[in-house]
Amino acid sequence: MPLDLDELDRRILTELQQDASQSLDDIARKVSSSKTPVWNRIRKLRKAGIIVRDTVLLDPEALGLEACFFVLVRTSAHEADWQARFLQAVRARPEVMEAHRLAGDIDYILKVRVPNARAYDRFYQALISEVTIHNVTALLSMEEIKFTTEMPLEHTKS
């Protein structure tokens, strides 16, 4: 059951999502509270599993990972053994940024970051050497319109 979040929790989470490296003093000032209540709230949110971890975001283009492919996977095999091998192969590939199992005609969608099309082909060849896939469609993102890691907190339970 989700933790009930009040307005102060939401403001603290918003600040942390925008910049988790800011000081406790800065967060407290921005949310109009003092340090101790803010620290206690952050501890409560961590304990509840709402704050999972602190991390940094890297610019993929600055790292030479200029190509973003969305890979649509259809399988004709739905056995547990196939799925276990597929999930293991996907989880082992650092190029896979996200992977989702879908409802509908497509079974899985992968978000893959690589330097270029040749690197994508190496990824694809490695994947199909590990597990049989019925059909794969790769879609190259021409432009990233929106990217965020911030959760929409206005719809959370209070």
Side-chain angles (χ1 to χ4, degrees), residues 73-87 101-108 131-135:
V73 176
R74 287 187 183 141
T75 180
S76 58
H78 294 277
E79 299 82 23
D81 179 59
W82 180 91
Q83 185 178 33
R85 286 183 292 120
F86 176 74
L87 296 179
R101 188 168 57 90
L102 305 175
D105 293 338
I106 305 297
D107 295 302
Y108 298 90
V131 63
T132 302
I133 297 174
H134 174 70
N135 182 277

Side-chain angles (χ1 to χ4, degrees), residues 10 12-20 149-153:
R10 285 188 193 86
I12 291 168
L13 289 170
T14 297
E15 286 301 320
L16 289 170
Q17 286 188 104
Q18 290 173 1
D19 182 2
T149 60
E150 294 181 33
M151 293 292 163
L153 298 175

